[in-house]
Amino acid sequence: MQAITIKSTIATIQKGAIKADGKFTLTDSDVTFTPFNMKFGLGPYTFARHEIVKVSKCLGTGAGIFPLTQDAIEVVLKDNSHYQFIVSNAEEWIKLLTHRA
C-alpha cells in the first residue's frame, strides 16, 4: 500500500550551524526530509508519525546562534531525537504533525 501525501514543501533542516535545503513531506504514516545535496550529511531522514512526541516552534538561526526567522519547528521523537526545520507556515505544520488520524 502506498502512503498518501498530506503536504509537501521545500524546507531547510538545521543542526547547529549546518543547514541543508530539501523536500519535507508529510504522509499519512511518515515524515521525510530529503536534502537536495546529500554531501552535507543531513539526511535523508524518515520517521514514523507515531514516533513524534512533541512539535513546537523554534528559531531558525544563522551560524547556529543568530536568530533569523520564527518560521521554524522542532520535532522530538520518542527516542529523544530532535530535528529542526525551517518551513513556511510553521503553525500549520505543527497542527498537521500533531494531528492523530
Side-chain angles (χ1 to χ4, degrees):
M1 188 164 95
Q2 188 170 354
I4 298 168
T5 300
I6 296 169
K7 188 171 178 77
S8 185
T9 192
I10 303 301
T12 302
I13 190 167
Q14 62 180 22
K15 196 165 214 155
I18 303 169
K19 293 183 176 21
D21 295 328
K23 186 174 181 182
F24 188 63
T25 303
L26 172 66
T27 70
D28 55 341
S29 59
D30 298 310
V31 177
T32 61
F33 176 79
T34 306
F36 297 135
N37 185 341
M38 300 284 192
K39 293 178 184 176
F40 291 125
L42 291 176
Y45 296 110
T46 300
F47 45 87
R49 290 182 69 182
H50 70 268
E51 292 295 317
I52 298 172
V53 294
K54 182 180 176 185
V55 182
S56 58
K57 285 189 84 168
C58 65
L59 291 175
T61 61
I65 53 174
F66 301 109
L68 296 178
T69 182
Q70 292 183 358
D71 269 342
I73 59 172
E74 181 174 56
V75 179
V76 181
L77 304 181
K78 288 179 182 176
D79 67 0
N80 205 31
S81 298
H82 293 248
Y83 298 89
Q84 293 183 341
F85 301 96
I86 299 171
V87 294
S88 59
N89 301 316
E91 293 290 341
E92 180 182 358
W93 277 100
I94 291 169
K95 287 177 188 174
L96 289 170
L97 290 166
T98 56
H99 175 73
R100 301 289 184 230

